[in-house]
Amino acid sequence: KAGVTQTPRYLIKTRGQQVTLSCSPISGHRSVSWYQQTPGQGLQFLFEYFSETQRNKGNFPGRFSGRQFSNSRSEMNVSTLELGDSALYLCASSLDPRTYSGVLFFGSGTQLSVL
Amino acid sequence: EDQVTQSPEALRLQEGESSSLNCSYTVSGLRGLFWYRQDPGKGPEFLFTLYSAGEEKEKERLKATLTKKESFLHITAPKPEDSATYLCAVSSNTGNQFYFGTGTSLTVIP
């Protein structure tokens, strides 16, 4: 069974640009969550999508947005990039994190560098 | 506010030297506590889920325990391949998200 696939693996952008990251969850998983990971802050929750609906959102500015398609694939977009957006962006899929099984399966992430 | 604190931030052990990692949590109604392992350049990989105080789970040299305020990840006779960052996370009954600690970076020296 294929794992969670994130593309691209690495990305270099300049301030003010926008970026779109892609995530393909494990087959059969309907929930996709996004996290930002930085050395000082650890994993910070961005948002979660389930069946194309955003169910929960973390404390990030509106420049961060996402969506989920009918095949459960998800994209996140960051507009007007800032230097502080440099981080590893992780996607995690799950059957449904609201259930007790609640295990998240992570992709390898997209390493975004903003210059 | 739900939060997770892990200690120590970094730990260096000699091969075979057992130790424990700590995860203290504050959550309004614990749904589950999770341990993950993260290798450099990779996403976190699931290790254990604990649901109630007193519960224990084991996998090879790792054993996770849970109390009402904290969880421990015990590493018995570690090997160099156990070197990684270990992350703790909690989910609550009142929310739909996971709260992660900043992790413990473990280095096992041959």
Side-chain angles (χ1 to χ4, degrees):
Chain A
K1 201 172 190 181
V4 178
T5 303
Q6 290 189 248
T7 57
R9 186 73 177 89
Y10 302 95
L11 209 48
I12 299 175
K13 293 287 187 179
T14 56
R15 280 181 300 173
Q17 288 187 310
Q18 75 166 19
V19 66
T20 299
L21 312 181
S22 180
C23 172
S24 293
I26 292 172
S27 178
H29 285 191
R30 297 166 64 188
S31 170
V32 173
S33 303
W34 289 89
Y35 289 83
Q36 181 194 68
Q37 186 175 33
T38 57
Q41 298 294 318
L43 272 82
Q44 301 290 311
F45 173 73
L46 283 156
F47 27 66
E48 184 228 344
Y49 286 87
F50 184 84
S51 294
E52 301 179 66
T53 301
Q54 186 182 88
R55 281 204 305 199
N56 201 11
K57 190 177 190 303
N59 189 27
F60 278 82
R63 300 185 296 107
F64 292 82
S65 63
R67 59 179 177 169
Q68 187 179 33
F69 302 96
S70 58
N71 61 358
S72 293
R73 191 177 69 86
S74 178
E75 290 181 347
M76 69 162 281
N77 184 77
V78 188
S79 62
T80 320
L81 284 166
E82 300 178 359
L83 295 178
D85 296 333
S86 295
L88 179 67
Y89 289 87
L90 291 163
C91 167
S93 79
S94 174
L95 286 168
D96 185 345
R98 290 183 179 183
T99 66
Y100 276 93
S101 63
V103 176
L104 299 176
F105 295 86
F106 286 87
S108 293
T110 293
Q111 184 66 55
L112 173 64
S113 297
V114 182
L115 306 178
Chain B
E1 180 180 314
D2 298 343
Q3 64 178 23
V4 177
T5 304
Q6 291 188 249
S7 62
E9 288 187 16
L11 183 62
R12 289 171 64 89
L13 298 173
Q14 289 292 136
E15 185 173 0
E17 179 187 2
S18 301
S19 187
S20 297
L21 281 54
N22 178 262
C23 171
S24 298
Y25 65 91
T26 303
V27 65
S28 50
L30 180 70
R31 173 176 289 155
L33 184 140
F34 303 79
W35 283 98
Y36 288 85
R37 168 189 170 132
Q38 186 174 23
D39 292 298
K42 294 187 177 182
E45 179 182 349
F46 170 73
L47 291 173
F48 303 108
T49 308
L50 301 166
Y51 297 112
S52 57
E55 189 174 359
E56 299 182 351
K57 293 273 182 74
E58 280 190 74
K59 180 180 180 180
E60 296 181 356
R61 296 176 293 282
L62 300 177
K63 178 180 178 180
T65 62
L66 180 66
T67 71
K68 289 187 177 180
K69 294 183 177 181
E70 58 190 350
S71 176
F72 292 94
L73 185 64
H74 306 280
I75 303 177
T76 302
K79 298 181 178 181
E81 53 262 42
D82 295 323
S83 297
T85 295
Y86 291 85
L87 298 168
C88 172
V90 297
S91 64
S92 74
N93 289 324
T94 58
N96 298 323
Q97 67 181 81
F98 293 80
Y99 296 90
F100 280 82
T102 52
T104 293
S105 176
L106 173 66
T107 303
V108 182
I109 304 162

